[in-house]
Amino acid sequence: MTRIVYLNGAWLAEADAKVSVFDRGFLFADAIYEVTAVIGGKLIDYHGHAARLQRSLSELGIACPLTDQALLDVHRDIVRRNGLDEGLIYLQISRGAADRDFAYPAKPEPTLVLFTQAKPVLNNPRNETGISIATVPDWRWERRDIKTVQLLYPSMAKMEAMRRGADDAWLVEDGLVTEGSAATAHIIKPDGTLVTRGLSHALLHGITRASIIDLARGAGMTVEERGFSVEEAKTAAEAFITSATNFATSVIKIDDAVIGTGKPGLVATKLRGLYTESRLASAI
Ligand code: PLP
C-alpha cells in the first residue's frame, strides 16, 4: 500500500514527497524527531511526546512550524488518511534547506515531515519470547536528551549486537548502562525494586519510562533512579526495555548471562499490562 505522508502542509503519496538535497537534516543531521504509537486508531501517550518534541526544538533553537493544536490535528489526520489501526507515527523537523554552511541560516524555514508505519505494537511476538542483548560501548555525543536524527551510532550498535547473535544492544559508558539502542533499559532487583537510570544529558528522557515509573510506584513498587552496571544487570531478577514502539519487552539474556529464568519476567509482564491498560484508556 502506498502511504500518504505529510510534508510542509501538503498531503502527498510517499513517492511524490521530496526534500531538498540542501536540507540541513540531510547535510548535518540538524533535525529532531518523535515517535508516537497508535492503537485502535488512537494516539498513545501523545502529550508526553508533544512536550518532548517542543523541548528538543527549543534546545536546538528550531521554531516549531505548527501550533500545538495543528500538530495534534496532523497526527490525527495522518492516521485517518492511512487507515492506520495499529503502528507508529514518525515526525521529523529539520532546520530546513539552506546553502551549506556550519552557521545556521539567518531565516530558517523548517522542514516538517510525518509518515506512518503499520506494525503490531500490542501483539509483538517478542513479548512472548523476550529479547537478547549484547553490550557495546556508548560512543554517541553527550546531548542524548535531545531526540535528534543522529541515529548512525545506535544503528551501528544494533548491527554489532546482531552480528554477535543478539537482538539488540545496550550502550555502556564508564561501566554503567546508559540505555538501549532505541529504548530505555531497566532491571528488577531480586527484592523486586525497579532500577532505572536517572535523567541527565546522558540519555533520552523516555516517555514510556516516565509512565512505567508512575505505574510501578502506583502498584506499590520501590523505584531507584540510578545507574546500574552490566554486572548488576546480569545478576538481576529481570531486565527489560521500554519505548513507544515496544511498550515493555523482557530481556532474557545479556551477553552470555541468562537473566532470571531465561523467560519473560513476571514483573516486566505485569508492568506492560498496567501500561497497556492505562494508555489505552487515555489514548486520544
Ligand atoms: N532511548 C533511546 C535512545 C530511544 O531512541 C528511545 C526511543 O526511541 C527511548 C529511549 C525510549 O523513549 P520513548 O519511551 O519515549 O519511546
Side-chain angles (χ1 to χ4, degrees):
M1 190 185 99
T2 295
R3 284 170 291 190
I4 304 294
V5 306
Y6 177 93
L7 173 60
N8 294 335
W11 293 102
L12 301 165
E14 62 180 73
D16 298 329
K18 305 267 167 46
V19 176
S20 166
V21 295
F22 295 106
D23 195 280
R24 290 180 60 89
F26 175 61
L27 295 178
F28 295 103
D30 187 358
I32 58 94
Y33 77 111
E34 267 305 327
V35 188
T36 305
V38 173
I39 308 278
K42 290 191 168 174
L43 308 170
I44 303 294
D45 254 342
Y46 176 78
H47 295 298
H49 291 284
R52 187 173 62 191
L53 169 72
Q54 296 300 340
R55 179 177 181 279
S56 295
L57 287 171
S58 105
E59 291 297 311
L60 297 183
I62 299 176
C64 188
L66 295 181
T67 63
D68 291 351
Q69 184 60 48
L71 268 182
L72 174 57
D73 291 346
V74 171
H75 276 80
R76 287 191 162 137
D77 217 2
I78 202 164
V79 169
R80 190 179 55 76
R81 286 174 188 263
N82 288 282
L84 183 65
D85 178 53
E86 187 163 333
L88 305 166
I89 300 174
Y90 284 82
L91 171 153
Q92 299 207 179
I93 301 177
S94 79
R95 204 181 302 274
D99 199 13
R100 193 182 189 286
D101 191 339
F102 275 47
Y104 297 167
K107 289 192 182 144
E109 289 179 26
T111 303
L112 170 58
V113 170
L114 279 88
F115 62 88
T116 54
Q117 273 185 352
K119 62 164 65 163
V121 176
L122 279 187
N123 296 316
N124 183 337
R126 291 190 163 179
N127 292 343
E128 305 305 320
T129 57
I131 60 166
S132 58
I133 289 292
T135 57
V136 303
D138 194 341
W139 286 340
R140 298 173 299 167
W141 78 329
E142 296 191 0
R143 288 304 306 275
R144 303 152 191 159
D145 56 310
I146 309 173
K147 197 167 168 69
T148 74
V149 301
Q150 293 182 66
L151 296 172
L152 178 58
Y153 186 70
S155 182
M156 289 169 70
K158 179 155 186 165
M159 292 305 291
E160 170 61 12
M162 288 167 64
R163 195 189 61 75
R164 283 159 49 188
D167 296 308
D168 212 332
W170 276 11
L171 308 173
V172 180
E173 187 175 53
D174 299 331
L176 299 177
V177 175
T178 331
E179 55 189 334
S181 70
T184 309
H186 314 264
I187 57 171
I188 305 290
K189 291 203 301 191
D191 70 0
T193 301
L194 168 63
V195 182
T196 192
R197 191 164 175 149
L199 297 181
S200 71
H201 287 177
L203 73 166
L204 187 72
H205 301 184
I207 303 306
T208 321
R209 170 194 182 279
S211 302
I212 288 281
I213 289 175
D214 281 352
L215 290 164
R217 289 203 168 113
M221 286 174 63
T222 304
V223 179
E224 288 176 10
E225 292 187 64
R226 61 163 174 84
F228 56 86
S229 66
V230 175
E231 278 322 299
E232 185 177 8
K234 285 181 177 173
T235 54
E238 295 184 28
F240 64 102
I241 56 168
T242 58
S243 77
T245 55
N246 66 46
F247 289 7
T249 303
S250 286
V251 169
I252 53 159
K253 204 170 165 212
I254 300 174
D255 296 332
D256 290 330
V258 171
I259 310 303
T261 60
K263 297 217 164 70
L266 291 178
V267 179
T269 304
K270 177 179 159 189
L271 289 172
R272 184 175 67 245
L274 290 173
Y275 180 80
T276 304
E277 193 185 330
S278 73
R279 267 43 205 176
L280 287 184
S282 63
I284 59 170

